[in-house]
Amino acid sequence: MIEVVSKDRHIVVKGTGTAQSRSEANIAPQVTGRVSMISPNMLVGGFFSQGEVMFEIEDVDYQLALDMAQANLAQAELDLERNETLAALARKEWQRLEFKDAEEPSPLVVYEPQLKSARAQRDAAKAMIEQAQLNLRRTRVAAPFNCYVRSEQVDVGQYLKAGVAVATVAGTDQLEIVVPVPLDELAWLKVPRKDAAQDGSVAKVELRSGGQVSQWQGKITRALGEIDPRNRMARVVVTVANPFSSNDLDTNLLHDPLPGMFVEVSLQGREISD
């Protein structure tokens, strides 16, 4: 005989899905040149923190371009100073002559066209310095976000062209699982909508392998916005934040929810009273 007791209970919606990284990017240099340094982590499976240098391109040509731009700026500033001096002398000479009923002198007399040209050359020289500095910084290719390397085709001495991808990285800050949910069970779940402040339903992600069970906590962050025509099911996205283990001594891969893993997901729905 079993005693029945009333209590509050959360509806649990179960599903499955494949883990995948929230962010992924192709890495392509923005300048052309020969690879002079490559990080030891620049291998498939290697991890990078945001801003960490992945590889460097030989910067001699770009340093020379910066030196030349700085020299051009010095020359442009000298030309501008010379024209400003000539313009000031010309205006003083015009005023000394004391023409009766004289209007403002002609722009040609007081070197206004020459001044405009000299200022434009000075500004162009400054822009060239900024461009040269930018190109010099771009010889150091850094990770765009916390990530691991999915593929790479780069090595020391290799000549790279600007804009040609040489690696693919996937983010490690967030992992996503797309979970199909029957329409009649979707009503129990909280799915954030656009501009809505509410959080989505809590999710428990599990991996069962080799007699072990690994678990991670996540939540529903959005729906894909359409019904799968093959099975008439909605698809919600469960996000696991900071999924990778922070324990560097933990060598068990099953403790990290690696992209590609097929996992079970339990979605905590609304509470039913009594």
Side-chain angles (χ1 to χ4, degrees), residues 131-142:
Q131 183 63 61
Q133 290 172 336
L134 181 60
N135 288 340
L136 187 59
R137 289 196 299 270
R138 285 173 173 172
T139 60
R140 296 165 59 87
V141 179

Side-chain angles (χ1 to χ4, degrees), residues 58-193:
E58 194 174 51
D59 63 357
V60 175
D61 293 340
Y62 299 99
Q63 184 61 60
L64 291 174
L66 176 59
D67 294 342
M68 186 176 296
Q70 291 172 336
N72 289 338
L73 176 60
Q75 183 62 50
E77 289 177 337
L78 178 61
D79 291 342
L80 176 59
E81 185 176 350
R82 182 186 300 113
N83 281 285
E84 286 175 342
T85 301
L86 292 174
L89 291 174
R91 184 169 291 277
K92 286 182 179 180
E93 184 67 18
W94 175 269
Q95 294 171 348
R96 188 180 65 81
L97 294 175
E98 296 181 352
F99 290 108
K100 293 182 179 180
D101 302 326
E103 298 179 354
E104 280 293 310
S106 168
L108 291 174
V109 173
V110 290
Y111 285 80
E112 285 189 8
Q114 293 89 332
L115 282 173
K116 287 183 179 179
S117 176
R119 292 190 182 108
Q121 291 177 4
R122 187 268 317 272
D123 293 341
K126 286 184 176 180
M128 290 300 295
I129 286 181
E130 292 179 2
Q131 183 63 61
Q133 290 172 336
L134 181 60
N135 288 340
L136 187 59
R137 289 196 299 270
R138 285 173 173 172
T139 60
R140 296 165 59 87
V141 179
F145 40 75
N146 297 331
C147 61
Y148 71 95
V149 181
R150 289 195 60 188
S151 65
E152 59 87 17
Q153 308 88 34
V154 59
D155 210 339
V156 174
Q158 183 177 348
Y159 188 83
L160 304 182
K161 292 184 178 180
V164 178
V166 295
T168 301
V169 297
T172 58
D173 288 337
Q174 290 185 328
L175 207 68
E176 291 188 342
I177 304 110
V178 178
V179 183
V181 177
L183 290 179
D184 57 348
E185 296 183 0
L186 186 63
W188 296 108
L189 303 176
K190 292 187 292 183
V191 182
R193 307 294 297 170

